[in-house]
Amino acid sequence: SQQGEEDPQALSIQEGENATMNCSYKTSINNLQWYRQNSGRGLVHLILIRSNEREKHSGRLRVTLDTSKKSSSLLITASRAADTASYFCATGGMDSSYKLIFGSGTRLLVRP
Amino acid sequence: GAVVSQHPSWVICKSGTSVKIECRSLDFQATTMFWYRQFPKQSLMLMATSNEGSKATYEQGVEKDKFLINHASLTLSTLTVTSAHPEDSSFYICSARKPGLAGETQYFGPGTRLLVL
């Protein structure tokens, strides 16, 4: 079953603007990851944030994690048309299975 | 690197036939592979966890006799959709994790699109 929800479901912005996506989850986690999926393709890992971390940066990506609210956000700064894709958060649980439970995803469209 | 391949990339079959999908880790050994199913414009649903040399662990609601998983080596897992029906049409994606400290990250294959007529 899906762990949680992402919002917005879809986001359309102009190139150069920032894009913010939010993810909420339901159970305790070991880590939270963000993945990107281009249409009809596999997923690409973007960034992982552990449960004891609050913020992480990678290039134009900034991820925050609030375990008290069971939520995370992904910020893409200075967006480019090539950032157009679906973005999914995925939570890793406290057990040793390494299973990931994916959120519902946000479809991002960056208009040139 | 961490490259995962899937074969075939797409397949069309008649109802009642079986289809085998291969997932390979090309440049690393994967003790664990995962199989997901994705419907159009929806998220990934975990079907099963495949561990090398042992039986797969299926998620609730996934029929193990319908979706046969074999993880015969550290670089290959296969998913066989047996007696496929139109409702099995979907996008199937596998992933693999590297053992070790950074093992939480999963590396995904490009997916296999299955259409059952």
Side-chain angles (χ1 to χ4, degrees), chain B residues 38-59:
Chain B
Q38 185 179 34
F39 291 105
K41 296 186 178 180
Q42 293 190 25
S43 186
L44 280 73
M45 299 297 292
L46 179 64
M47 299 174 67
T49 302
S50 170
N51 291 296
E52 188 266 338
S54 65
K55 289 184 179 180
T57 303
Y58 290 81
E59 294 300 300

Side-chain angles (χ1 to χ4, degrees), chain B residues 80-110:
Chain B
T80 301
V81 183
T82 62
S83 187
H85 290 283
E87 58 266 29
D88 298 323
S89 298
S90 190
F91 192 53
Y92 292 89
I93 310 177
C94 73
S95 70
R97 57 169 285 268
K98 293 181 175 180
L101 292 176
E104 297 98 338
T105 299
Q106 292 183 18
Y107 299 92
F108 284 81

